[in-house]
Each structure stands twice: as C-alpha cells, then as structure tokens.
Amino acid sequence: MRLKYIISGAALLSLCFSSCSDQMDKKEIKINDDEYVKRDFESVGKITSKIYQNLDYDFGQMYGGASLCSATDEAVYSHEGNTIERYYNGSWSPTTTNNYTWIKAWEAIGYCNLFLADYTGLTFPDHKLEKNYPDNMVKYENYQWEVRFMRAYNYFLLVRMYGGVPLITDYLNAEESNNQPRVSADEIFDFIDSECDAIKDEIIQNYSGAYNSLENEPGRVNNLGVLALRARAALYHASPLFSDGKSDTEKKALWKHAAECGKACIDECKKRGMTLSKDYSSLFSNSNWNDQDANKEIIFAVRSGESNSFEKYNYPKSMLNAGGGNCPTENLVSSYEMTNGLPITDALSGYDPKNPYKDRDARLAATVAVCGEKWPTQLEHDGLEIWLGGSDSRSVQYGTPTGYYLKKYVCGENKISGTGQTNSKHTWVLFRLGQVYLDYAEAIFNYSGNGYDTPDNFNLSAADAINIVRKRAGQPDLPTGLNTADFEKRYENERFVELAFEGHRIYDVRRWKKAPQYFTDIKVMEITKNGDELTYTPVTNPNYITKRTWAGDHQYLWPIPQSEVLKSGALTQNPGW
C-alpha cells in the first residue's frame, strides 16, 4: 500500500470540487513544518483540500482517453490497443492491474488518518483576536467529520473493487502499513456503515450561511452525501457478490438495512426541498454546477478544471483533433424503450427499424449522438455520417465502431481545433437523488420479494421509486403485475439507461454476478447507404475491437497489484488471480 504523508513543500491544488453550486476556495500555500501547520487555519485546511483532490472521476484520464464504460456493454473505445482492453481480452493480471484506484484511495486514506491523528483538537491561539476566529473554528471543527466521510468513501471504493482490504484507522509509517492483513468485506462494509452513522448528525448540513463572515464552500460534503454513501455501501453489501454464502435471513436483513438507508437519504432530501431535475441533460452539462434546477438533484460531485480534453477524446473523428472515443453500443441504445413504455422488441411498440430513433425514451437523445444528427455544434457537415464509407463511420481510422458517439458529459459547444479553442468545466456526479431512488428500489424489491409491496414502515414500493425516475424522462409507469424475474429485468434495464456513463455499470453487473449475461456479446449498429436510403442492421461481435471474453468469476473482483503483495508480509491476493 502507498501511504505517504507529505506535509512540507508547496501544495498547488489543480482540481476544484462542487456540490454543483460553486467551487471551494484554494490558494497556493507553503508549509514550513508540522508546528507551523498546527498554528495556521489555512494550512490545516489545505490538508483536507488534498483529500478532496483525490475524489474519483472518469473523464478519460485513467486510460489515455478511454473510460471504464468501455470495459462494459455501455461502450467500445475506438482505438485498438488501449489498456482498457485488459478488462476483457485476457491480459488482465496482478502485474497489469489498472490500479489507479488502489493508489489514489490509499493515498487519501493515509491523509485522513494523518489528519485525525495529529490535526484535531487544535485551538489556533495566534488567531484568537481575529474577527473571523469563531467562524474559522466552526469550519475547523467540521473538518474531522468531512475527513471521516472521505476515509469511509475511499474504503468503499476499495471494497467494491477488491473485497476485503486492510482496515487501517491509525496513522502508520510505511513499514507498519505494508504489514497489515486484509479483513473481510463484511468488516469493511460495517466500518463504512458505522462511520456514516457517527458522522451524519455531526457534519454541517448546509454550507450556505454556515459561517457568518466567511465565504461559503458548498463543494464540501454535507450530511446528504453521508446518507447517500451509507445507502450505496449498504446496497453493495447486500448484493450477491458480497452476500452469497450467507443464510436467507442474513441476506434479507442486509436488503432491509439497504432499503432503510435509502429511505433515510430520500426523506432527508425531501426535507431540504430537493427533487429530480426537470431536465435530465442539465445534470451532466458543463454549467450544472450553477444550474439551480440541476442542484435540486445533485447531492455531491467533483468538478475538474477547465479543459476540452474530454471533447477531444470523444468528438466524432471527422473533426480535427477528435478521437472518436467511447462509443455507445447497440446494447445500450436498444435498451431505451419507446415513449409508450414498450421495449423495442415488443411487436406492439411501434418501433420502426427504418427510423430506429423516432419516438424513443428522451434519455437516449440526451446520451447518444446518432447518424444524421447535427452534433457537436462545430461539426462541419449537416449531420453525422456514420454509414459505412461516411466521414464519421468505422470506415475511417478511429471512427465509431458501434454506429454511435457519446454525448453525455461531453460539451457539444467546445471548439477543439484552430484558433479560439474553448474549454469548459466538467462535473462528475458522485451522488444524485435519481440514483438514490434506484438504489432504494433495488433494496426494497429484494427485501419485499416483489416490486409492488411496501412492508414495515416503508412508504415507497420498488415500482413507486422507479416510476418517479421514469416520470422525469416522460416515460409511463412500469406495468403492474410483473413477476419477480420480469420486474428484476425491468429494474436492471432502468438502471442501465438512467445511469449510463456515470461509472456504475462496471460495478453493478459485477455485484449482481451477471457478467456472462451482459458483458460478452457486444452489439453495434451497422448502417449502409444506398442513394438517400439508410439501412440499419444490428450486428453482434462483428470484429476484434468489439469481441469480449469473460475469463471467469474471479474477475468479479480486481487483482491486487502484485508489487503490493510482494512487499507486504500480510497482504494476500484475491482468489483466481
């Protein structure tokens, strides 16, 4: 494990963080020594800012433009040979681990433990006569709760990938930390749950006006973020990947707890006047951080600095400097229902294979760019030419191999070539209310045994919660009377389309233990043109770049980097690796 604590030198933070209404205040600082830090408000605050800097997001920075979506059935990365292929081409191993999260999470946990060991209980006597001293102390006292949340959050990132890991809650030197044994996944989940329970009533609820004379810092986590983390961790704990082998009674208790945690988060959001954004696409726009409607739904998010890198990775290949990028699959596109609520495979749906994107769920148009669409703004021709031989098709190098381009999170107004290139902020949504409704729906469905009951003190059935999300998209309610298997299928489909490209799919399918069902057959839309007529033909696994294999159930968990196992006296590898 990498637990390095650097409290000297200069720290210039490059990221800014958002609960999507503004950014945290960060300045360059120089720290002379430990005692200097403990005398200065701002220097201590910079330690917490460093922890926030390690929050996870996925704008292609981990795999040279590819995102984790392209390791799933959501997308195919258009550049052959990218390291994202390790997840499905058989080359994934303890020596080729894609260990970005392992490094970042342990670094953050190290800083958290350092802060909690050495930087709590300070009084800053040199500042007592300053006008802002009382507000600064309110802010400082809250740091401990923020840091404990961040530690719990990073343990969640680790447990969902690796299962049980060492549970380190004290400040240790490198030798000590490298000799800590793994504990069970149950123990990690229990730690996250107990930490969230301890934090939720202590942490500041609303940073707007929290400090009388100081600038607000809404980018910091509040109690809603704590509740959302607790609900998500409980959902994962109850899922088959982590609950198989337990008794039916134990499993039911885990699902009940997950439902209770989801309900607690939803109830608290309602008390605060939060609701689903009216405009789904606004949640992922470059201006979502100051969009009042989006902020009604976004609970916690991380905002990267201004850039057009994500656009360069994902714009259509006909554009100068564009990479083609993470191209949505037909697996995903065909999962969007018709506006009448029927799947496109239903003979009564009205689906027209000659006009396949007409009358479809509105979330499709907000997520995927299709043939003939004038997108992005700077596209030099009238519409995307994705038919074979077209300037945006797989006929050109790095053109879409699937028949689609990615729109979600991509700022279609950015200019990426020539003079006057433009940049924008990109906000990665970590928790939002729509996702919490779906988390709750899955938990209450598995606890109650069907999609329509509201047992005990619950006031929403699984169908109720899903229908709230569907209503925002303009989709009709789920049909009543679905049996358990059919309801589960509809729920999984709803999660697929609602949360597409938000970083959930790679973990959802694994925690359900359904990878062979979803991750092996990749469908693309092959489009041919004859005169003015286009023909759309779905094709499965047409070439090397779309061919996927699932090497075995050991891949439900990530391999621990072999270098970490070798230098540790206690760390063991995950089974099968």
Side-chain angles (χ1 to χ4, degrees):
M1 288 168 289
R2 296 181 51 176
L3 296 182
K4 296 183 179 179
Y5 312 123
I6 305 169
I7 307 300
S8 60
L12 180 59
L13 304 182
S14 61
L15 288 178
C16 37
F17 315 101
S18 176
S19 65
C20 286
S21 52
D22 204 347
Q23 70 182 61
M24 289 167 51
D25 178 41
K26 292 166 293 298
K27 303 181 178 70
E28 185 174 3
I29 63 165
K30 291 183 179 179
I31 304 172
N32 296 327
D33 55 37
D34 185 57
E35 291 306 313
Y36 175 87
V37 175
K38 292 180 178 179
R39 296 196 305 268
D40 183 68
F41 278 118
E42 186 174 335
S43 297
V44 171
K46 282 299 178 181
I47 301 174
T48 69
S49 292
K50 170 59 181 173
I51 297 167
Y52 274 90
Q53 186 185 13
N54 276 39
L55 283 167
D56 59 307
Y57 63 99
D58 189 6
F59 289 128
Q61 78 281 2
M62 295 183 288
Y63 302 102
S67 295
L68 282 173
C69 59
S70 289
T72 76
D73 53 347
E74 283 180 318
V76 175
Y77 194 60
S78 64
H79 296 240
E80 291 187 34
N82 188 276
T83 55
I84 201 71
E85 295 175 9
R86 291 174 181 171
Y87 285 101
Y88 56 81
N89 70 2
S91 66
W92 196 17
S93 75
T95 57
T96 55
T97 56
N98 298 333
N99 63 345
Y100 184 88
T101 297
W102 181 273
I103 294 170
K104 298 289 285 184
W106 280 119
E107 182 180 66
I109 289 169
Y111 275 104
C112 291
N113 287 336
L114 173 66
F115 183 92
L116 294 170
D118 288 354
Y119 293 93
T120 57
L122 303 178
T123 59
F124 305 101
D126 295 348
H127 297 276
K128 282 189 175 181
L129 297 180
E130 294 176 0
K131 178 181 178 181
N132 291 340
Y133 179 80
D135 285 338
N136 273 323
M137 287 304 295
V138 171
K139 183 177 180 180
Y140 165 73
E141 291 294 339
N142 193 62
Y143 284 160
Q144 62 184 306
W145 310 116
E146 296 176 68
V147 169
R148 286 177 67 175
F149 165 85
M150 289 294 178
R151 184 174 62 179
Y153 179 74
N154 278 280
Y155 268 115
F156 171 70
L157 300 184
L158 289 170
V159 74
R160 74 176 180 180
M161 277 190 168
Y162 301 100
V165 295
L167 180 57
I168 302 174
T169 58
D170 296 319
Y171 172 55
L172 305 178
N173 62 37
E175 182 178 356
E176 291 169 330
S177 67
N178 285 331
N179 284 282
Q180 298 301 307
R182 299 174 70 175
V183 302
S184 68
D186 286 340
E187 290 175 85
I188 299 296
F189 282 118
D190 288 344
F191 171 76
I192 295 168
D193 189 74
S194 63
E195 282 292 276
C196 289
D197 188 45
I199 297 163
K200 62 182 176 62
D201 296 327
E202 302 292 341
I203 197 167
I204 288 177
Q205 294 190 5
N206 188 349
Y207 288 90
S208 179
Y211 322 121
N212 292 329
S213 56
L214 299 180
E215 183 179 350
N216 293 327
E217 296 192 44
R220 296 186 178 274
V221 65
N222 61 18
N223 70 322
L224 295 180
V226 175
L227 294 172
L229 171 61
R230 191 182 192 192
R232 185 180 297 177
L235 178 72
Y236 274 64
H237 193 189
S239 298
L241 180 59
F242 299 104
S243 66
D244 277 0
K246 300 183 187 301
S247 69
D248 290 344
T249 299
E250 290 172 320
K251 290 179 182 179
K252 188 167 184 176
L254 288 174
W255 285 121
K256 181 181 181 182
H257 182 61
E260 289 170 339
C261 291
K263 180 180 184 298
C265 185
I266 292 168
D267 290 347
E268 188 63 23
C269 285
K270 287 181 177 179
K271 289 180 184 177
R272 300 268 276 280
M274 296 187 69
T275 186
L276 298 193
S277 169
K278 294 178 182 177
D279 181 4
Y280 176 79
S281 62
S282 72
L283 296 168
F284 317 102
S285 73
N286 63 307
S287 61
N288 62 358
W289 60 278
N290 65 356
D291 185 312
Q292 290 185 358
D293 185 53
N295 274 291
K296 292 179 180 179
E297 180 169 349
I298 297 175
I299 294 172
F300 189 47
V302 55
R303 179 152 53 97
S304 65
E306 290 193 352
S307 170
N308 62 15
S309 296
F310 195 57
E311 287 68 44
K312 287 180 177 178
Y313 289 145
N314 291 290
Y315 269 5
K317 197 61 189 72
S318 64
M319 302 178 69
L320 184 63
N321 292 335
N326 301 278
C327 300
T329 63
E330 180 60 28
N331 305 59
L332 175 65
V333 171
S334 62
S335 296
Y336 291 90
E337 302 167 350
M338 303 296 288
T339 54
N340 59 19
L342 295 177
I344 65 171
T345 54
D346 191 310
L348 301 178
S349 68
Y351 175 73
D352 182 0
K354 295 183 178 180
N355 193 4
Y357 314 116
K358 181 183 178 183
D359 296 330
R360 300 287 292 276
D361 183 330
R363 290 171 291 189
L364 174 59
T367 305
V368 178
V370 303
C371 187
E373 184 175 356
K374 176 69 174 179
W375 186 89
T377 303
Q378 300 291 327
L379 191 71
E380 293 183 354
H381 36 279
D382 292 337
L384 290 169
E385 298 177 356
I386 301 179
W387 59 83
L388 292 178
S391 61
D392 302 297
S393 73
R394 64 179 173 89
S395 301
V396 300
Q397 188 178 35
Y398 308 137
T400 173
T402 66
Y404 304 104
Y405 286 98
L406 176 63
K407 290 172 72 175
K408 194 170 181 178
Y409 275 129
V410 179
C411 179
E413 289 73 45
N414 273 349
K415 184 180 180 183
I416 64 169
S417 62
T419 59
Q421 290 189 34
T422 56
N423 300 311
S424 62
K425 297 180 175 67
H426 295 79
T427 303
W428 184 259
V429 179
L430 296 175
F431 297 104
R432 62 181 178 92
L433 184 55
Q435 162 253 308
V436 178
Y437 273 116
L438 293 181
D439 288 357
Y440 169 83
E442 182 175 347
I444 197 68
F445 166 65
N446 282 281
Y447 172 56
S448 67
N450 66 74
Y452 306 100
D453 286 346
T454 53
D456 304 327
N457 295 319
F458 298 102
N459 54 5
L460 285 177
S461 69
D464 293 334
I466 294 170
N467 289 337
I468 289 171
V469 175
R470 290 172 61 84
K471 183 177 181 180
R472 185 256 302 281
Q475 292 299 103
D477 288 351
L478 290 175
T480 59
L482 292 172
N483 62 37
T484 301
D486 287 342
F487 191 94
E488 182 176 67
K489 184 177 179 180
R490 293 296 291 263
Y491 165 76
E492 290 177 1
N493 192 81
E494 193 67 31
R495 194 171 178 94
F496 194 21
V497 300
E498 173 70 18
L499 303 180
F501 302 105
E502 295 181 49
H504 294 278
R505 186 67 173 177
I506 194 168
Y507 305 108
D508 281 345
V509 171
R510 279 177 162 81
R511 65 183 176 82
W512 296 333
K513 299 181 73 171
K514 293 186 176 182
Q517 176 179 334
Y518 286 118
F519 282 176
T520 54
D521 290 328
I522 300 302
K523 298 176 183 178
V524 307
M525 182 64 85
E526 189 168 276
I527 307 171
T528 56
K529 185 176 184 181
N530 185 10
D532 293 331
E533 184 177 347
L534 297 177
T535 300
Y536 297 85
T537 307
V539 180
T540 301
N541 295 333
N543 51 46
Y544 165 78
I545 200 169
T546 60
K547 188 173 179 59
R548 304 283 170 92
T549 59
W550 180 254
D553 288 357
H554 66 283
Q555 291 194 134
Y556 284 129
L557 294 176
W558 270 243
I560 293 174
Q562 190 64 18
S563 59
E564 300 294 320
V565 175
L566 290 174
K567 72 185 179 184
S568 170
L571 195 62
T572 56
Q573 185 56 264
N574 273 325
W577 292 104

